[in-house]
Amino acid sequence: MITNQAAGTTIDEVADGIYRIATPVDVVPGGFSFNQYLIVDDEPLLFHTGLRRAFPLVREAIAAVMPVDRLRHISFSHYEADECGALNDLLAVAPRAAPLCGKVAAMVSVGDIADRPPRPLDDGEAVTLGRHAVRWLATPHLPHAWECGFLYEETTRTLLCGDLFTQGGARHPATTEGDILEPSEAFRGHLDYYAHAKNAGALIERLAATRPTMLACMHGPAWRGDGAGLLRALGTRLEAA
Ligand SMILES: [Fe+2]
Ligand SMILES: [Fe+2]
């Protein structure tokens, strides 16, 4: 569903109760996309806010599915503008919402910059939303930022995998079962956004152990398939780099 014709923002349900909001942009040659994921439940959660300047588009897309003031958790992988630039704008329109992030992010950035205190998550800590439950998996410096981590939604087996498998291009289908490893590796060839931490292989293996059936990418389509296999294939490529 298109929620803003001028910007091309769309929202689509990609798993039971999980919606992908996507906005195409032209910040890099060939185009790019910024996605947010909305989990609609008793305690709705938004994973990634989008850029601060894109706030009106994200608010409009959420409002197409549920009242924005129902939001309870505003979560994100790490502290960058596309992950959490609109955090305070969202807190202002969702009075019962609080930031939900890893404890490193809370300590280093979010405890200071957010207009309300964050709920810091330990590695492996779970939060029940209602029908859904998310678990924080800390992945320091994978792909980048000390505070980096991901949320795994257990009932739909969706890994909200943030910047992993980042693909170029502005417009994608909401979901795909086609290959995303080669397109993301091609993108990384031009813009290597990885910190290349020594323990990347071990962190990838921890993510693979959740055996996700959906990898919900922040830049590109949400991918359906054997998530453990694809994560391990990425790990092999990173080790060879
Ligand atoms: Fe990032
Ligand atoms: Fe990102």
Side-chain angles (χ1 to χ4, degrees):
M1 178 189 1
I2 298 172
T3 53
N4 189 288
Q5 286 286 352
T9 302
T10 55
I11 186 164
D12 294 277
E13 189 172 10
V14 295
D16 185 14
I18 303 185
Y19 293 79
R20 172 183 176 271
I21 300 166
T23 301
V25 292
D26 57 5
V27 290
V28 296
F32 200 53
S33 62
F34 292 115
N35 304 335
Q36 301 80 38
Y37 289 89
L38 174 68
I39 305 179
V40 177
D41 210 319
D42 297 339
E43 296 189 13
L45 179 148
L46 183 70
F47 192 66
H48 295 145
T49 71
L51 299 169
R52 183 168 63 93
R53 289 196 178 84
F55 169 65
L57 298 172
V58 174
R59 178 176 58 181
E60 186 174 43
I62 296 169
V65 173
M66 62 165 228
V68 179
D69 64 5
R70 278 197 61 218
L71 276 173
R72 291 291 291 276
H73 307 284
I74 300 171
S75 191
F76 42 90
S77 168
H78 52 276
Y79 186 69
E80 281 183 329
D82 56 335
E83 275 79 5
C84 61
L87 174 61
N88 285 329
D89 298 276
L90 280 155
L91 292 175
V93 296
R96 295 196 299 158
L100 183 72
C101 60
K103 64 181 182 183
V104 174
M107 174 180 71
V108 172
S109 296
V110 185
D112 179 63
I113 61 90
D115 287 340
R116 285 202 288 281
R119 174 172 171 186
L121 294 174
D122 275 318
D123 184 27
E125 186 174 347
V127 177
T128 300
L129 307 177
R131 294 190 299 127
H132 301 84
V134 291
R135 187 175 297 279
W136 177 253
L137 299 167
T139 59
H141 307 294
L142 177 76
H144 51 242
W146 177 27
E147 70 276 15
C148 195
F150 305 109
L151 284 179
Y152 176 64
E153 199 293 301
E154 296 178 338
T155 57
T156 59
R157 300 180 69 173
T158 298
L159 181 66
L160 297 161
C161 67
D163 287 339
L164 297 181
F165 302 102
T166 287
Q167 297 147 73
R171 291 171 196 273
H172 303 273
T175 63
T176 184
E177 296 179 10
D179 180 47
I180 61 168
L181 179 60
E182 293 308 324
S184 66
E185 284 296 284
F187 182 86
R188 191 165 71 85
H190 299 293
L191 279 175
D192 191 358
Y193 55 94
Y194 275 71
H196 296 287
K198 286 202 179 90
N199 62 344
L203 294 174
I204 290 268
E205 185 53 39
R206 281 192 65 220
L207 299 175
T210 64
R211 297 170 52 237
T213 55
M214 173 163 279
L215 300 174
C217 301
M218 182 180 191
H219 308 285
W223 179 86
R224 272 201 203 96
D226 170 13
L230 196 69
L231 283 159
R232 288 181 180 127
L234 172 63
T236 301
R237 298 290 282 269
L238 293 173
E239 270 166 25

